[in-house]
Amino acid sequence: QHLLLCCAPGGAKMGPAEVRRMAVGSGAEPSSVAVALAVELDAALAADPLVDEIAFLPSASPDDVFGPPSRGGHPPGVVVTSVVMPGAFLLAEHKLAVAVYALVPLYTFAASALHRARVAARNAAGVFATDEWELGMDPETGVDVFRLLLLVNGDHTTAWNGRKRRVLRRLTAAAAPAHDAPADATSSCRLDDVSHRAAVVELRFAEMVLSKYPKAQSCWAHRRWVLTRVLGVGGNMLRGGGGDGGGREDDDNAAVAEAAALTVDAAAVDVAKRGGNNTKKRSATAATLFAEEARVAERAAQQRRLNYAAWAHRRWCARGHGSDIEGNPPSSSSSPSSSLSSSPKSGQQFQGMLSSVELGAELERAATRVRRNVSDYCGLHYRQALMRQSPGSSSGHGGGSDGGCGDEGSWDWAAEAALTAELIQRYPGREALWAHRR
Amino acid sequence: MSEAPAATAAAATAAAAAVGHMPASELSVDLHAGFVKRQSEDTDTIEYVLTEHLRMSGVYWGLTGMHLLGRLDDMDGDGIVAWVMTCWHGCGGFGGSEGHDPHVLYTLSAVQVLALYNRMDLLDRDAIARYVASLQLPDGSFTGDEWGEVDTRFSYCALSCCKLIGRMEAINVEKAMEYIASCKNFDGGFGCTPGGESHAGQIFTCVGALAIGGGLQHVDADLLGWWLCERQVKAGGLNGRPEKLPDVCYSWWVLSSLSILKRLHWIDQGALARFILRCQDPQKGGISDRPNDEPDVYHTFFGVAGLSLMGFPGLKAVDPVYALPTEVVQRLGLYE
């Protein structure tokens, strides 16, 4: 995109200074139609925060997408379309379709807006403050540049980074107490509120991007960043202080009541933030978070068979309480309390999303999935990872007939071998099953 | 399944001879060179736009492929080198394209491109070393950038980058080896993080990293070699994991790993070479992931590199560890 306009004459080797002088960023300039289209699309997305799916089609005109109106295929609700470039995009029932021919103009606009904002931020005397670049809003049109870039290219790492910076700026602003407010309580509540709203927005947006780019690694990485940095999975609560929950019962009750008015996931997150050391609340919330991530990962795995990034994410999320950062159970000999306890030990204690009880349920679900997808080694490997995590102690709940923790406290290898043997006999020649048996 | 040394050597020679005696004309060098050059010039396409974030790696793939084809001079070296430097950040890293945030992936690609053109003099090696070192975590792993994502691919990039610029002392190599060793799976393979599913691409990065850092003893060569040669399917191509379709890029990831482990003859090289040749696009030029798909620069590079590794005639030699032409690796003295 930013190509060089000239070459050195004669083939003489250029020194470093000459090389730097030569490099002029040109970049294509978007047409006025492209700018107008970007503004329209940005407005449509801003008006519907619940978009959960995108697709690129040869044409996004309503008749091409739904068929002629007389056939009755058009949806009953509002259908938002482009005026400046008819057929360029369509937004209906929280689904967005973009015409393939609109992608280059949209991206060209977004890339030039990004460049413009960055150049402006670099100019000390520039009109645009660094703020604009940090928030990713185009100073000229107000378009959310990061959102637009990621719509077209879900693996645009720099745009994801921009969204992270944007979230951090908002959290920092929320944590700073208003100058006439009393010490910590209000600012802490405000931070919690902003945190969970930000997390919901980011995770929802990431899911929308994954509907088109189910393997985009920087998108999955963004989800993990939101979970750890914003929602505190892993124990790094984003707070001014150490995040101890002492003496905040009243806040808890008020928060729960308020949270009931929000969407389920937001409420769960809210409760998580205020749960402090309340094990029960945390485990309910952690389970909700895990269920969400598992749902998103499963959706992506359905879209792309053997989706490595989706399964790696699911495995990451399945690391549980009492395990180290890589999901290995505590190395010290298992005592009944260790696997279920959430009290921090010395050293790095990972407070994950999957409790030992939930682990058993997830193992059951994994077994069911394996039976339905016998050539899917990702699902089998995932089951291996869950098995490795199962605590050797008697308090572990391995679950069901498809392998589990025996009374003697060891993984039921015989049951797992029997499962693989049964499947191998029923479905001969499946390399994945043999690999799992190994 | 280890073989006696004599049988190994004989088998290796025989396998190499098979590919080495294929007619050079079966690889459409002119078409592929033209394809790569056009891809670098057609900036209005969706493909070009959608790959902007990884342009630096795309440039590395294209140029190294051209070098192996003997056609590097077809490209505008000065212009490319100048463009690479526009992606430089003061912190020591390179971004995927101008204005993109720094990342270890593109830092390596940038260094590789400059190595191809023998313009390492343009690099601030100390700054790069500091940047790469800043990405290493206490457990020896490497994040890709400041945002903290860990992956064994980043370990490979960090080690290769430091080796190319001669700054291995900037990082903790021993810890890096330990971390990669911790990613070894029961099947001898490696994944993206400890416990991650074995994947041919990740295996290449781990085996390559271990080779660079002097940690190959952590690899069970027979066990991993077995898993790797099981990647060959009936059509002759290689896949990356069990029950996946063959893909030309695995001709590189699997082949280079086998080569480093000195077990290249464990696959049927003739069948693989014929598969790669079937993936050429006879009209547009370029090589695709499998026959009759759209070609792209990435698969063109890895197809050519795979053929080179097997001794296909008319191609320059490629180094399996650094994925750079052998002559570049020799010029840099990486094995001294």
Side-chain angles (χ1 to χ4, degrees), chain A residues 4 107 224 306 308 438, chain B residues 52 79 99 149 197 230 241:
Chain A
L4 299 154
Y107 190 88
R224 288 189 279 278
L306 301 175
Y308 192 85
R438 278 185 199 164
Chain B
E52 189 193 43
E149 183 72 1
E197 186 191 345
E230 281 182 332
R241 284 180 283 155

Side-chain angles (χ1 to χ4, degrees), chain A residues 128-436:
Chain A
F128 314 122
T130 315
D131 293 19
E132 316 302 339
W133 159 232
E134 290 282 295
L135 292 174
M137 302 306 195
D138 178 26
E140 282 183 16
T141 60
V143 166
D144 180 341
V145 173
F146 300 146
R147 176 167 61 193
L148 189 55
L149 283 171
L150 290 167
L151 195 85
V152 178
N153 178 4
D155 214 3
H156 196 298
T157 314
T158 299
W160 285 118
N161 294 347
R163 290 188 74 98
K164 292 180 184 61
R165 290 189 190 99
R166 177 192 290 169
V167 169
L168 288 178
R169 278 179 62 86
R170 289 180 177 157
L171 295 183
T172 304
H179 52 261
D180 60 351
D184 246 26
T186 329
S187 60
S188 200
C189 288
R190 187 167 55 239
L191 174 60
D192 287 348
D193 192 45
V194 172
S195 295
H196 74 66
R197 284 186 210 276
V200 168
V201 166
E202 292 307 308
L203 292 174
R204 193 173 274 151
F205 179 74
E207 182 174 358
M208 184 193 86
V209 170
L210 286 171
S211 73
K212 180 72 191 83
Y213 295 99
K215 293 168 65 169
Q217 283 176 326
S218 53
C219 183
W220 290 107
H222 189 71
R223 292 192 82 85
R224 288 189 279 278
W225 181 85
V226 170
L227 290 165
T228 51
R229 190 78 175 83
V230 182
L231 293 181
V233 168
N236 297 323
M237 304 289 279
L238 182 69
R239 267 190 219 228
D244 65 66
R248 300 192 53 222
E249 280 302 307
D250 293 318
D251 285 343
D252 285 350
N253 295 335
V256 170
E258 185 195 352
L262 301 170
T263 58
V264 171
D265 48 341
V269 169
D270 196 57
V271 169
K273 298 290 289 183
R274 297 167 197 278
N277 290 324
N278 187 321
T279 310
K280 209 168 168 185
K281 275 186 190 166
R282 184 195 283 127
S283 37
T285 306
T288 308
L289 279 177
F290 178 79
E292 261 299 281
E293 294 307 301
R295 182 187 63 75
V296 173
E298 180 62 39
R299 183 179 171 189
Q302 293 292 337
Q303 277 182 265
R304 289 284 187 282
R305 193 177 151 263
L306 301 175
N307 185 334
Y308 192 85
W311 283 102
H313 182 75
R314 192 168 183 166
R315 183 177 64 89
W316 182 92
C317 294
R319 298 172 302 162
H321 290 289
S323 51
D324 65 24
I325 201 79
E326 291 308 333
N328 301 311
S331 54
S332 54
S333 66
S334 42
S335 59
S337 61
S338 66
S339 56
L340 291 178
S341 162
S342 62
S343 57
K345 296 180 188 160
S346 62
Q348 195 159 24
Q349 183 69 14
F350 182 72
Q351 294 160 36
M353 290 183 271
L354 208 59
S355 69
S356 299
V357 173
E358 267 300 308
L359 175 61
E362 182 67 358
L363 269 157
E364 286 280 359
R365 284 189 289 269
T368 305
R369 196 188 188 283
V370 158
R371 286 177 175 282
R372 292 180 187 153
N373 298 273
V374 293
S375 64
D376 187 327
Y377 188 68
C378 283
L380 285 159
H381 173 86
Y382 179 65
R383 192 166 155 73
Q384 291 167 20
L386 294 176
M387 284 163 59
R388 271 198 300 279
Q389 239 174 266
S390 295
S393 74
S394 57
S395 58
H397 295 76
S401 52
D402 290 326
C405 287
D407 286 341
E408 59 274 18
S410 61
W411 182 257
D412 194 346
W413 299 106
E416 192 70 13
L419 170 64
T420 55
E422 176 207 330
L423 293 173
I424 282 171
Q425 272 152 28
R426 201 184 300 172
Y427 306 100
R430 297 264 66 107
E431 187 187 355
L433 293 171
W434 285 104
H436 186 58

Side-chain angles (χ1 to χ4, degrees), chain B residues 151-164:
Chain B
D151 190 309
T152 48
R153 290 179 296 146
F154 307 150
S155 298
Y156 173 80
C157 292
L159 284 155
S160 182
C161 194
C162 286
K163 185 73 179 181
L164 288 170

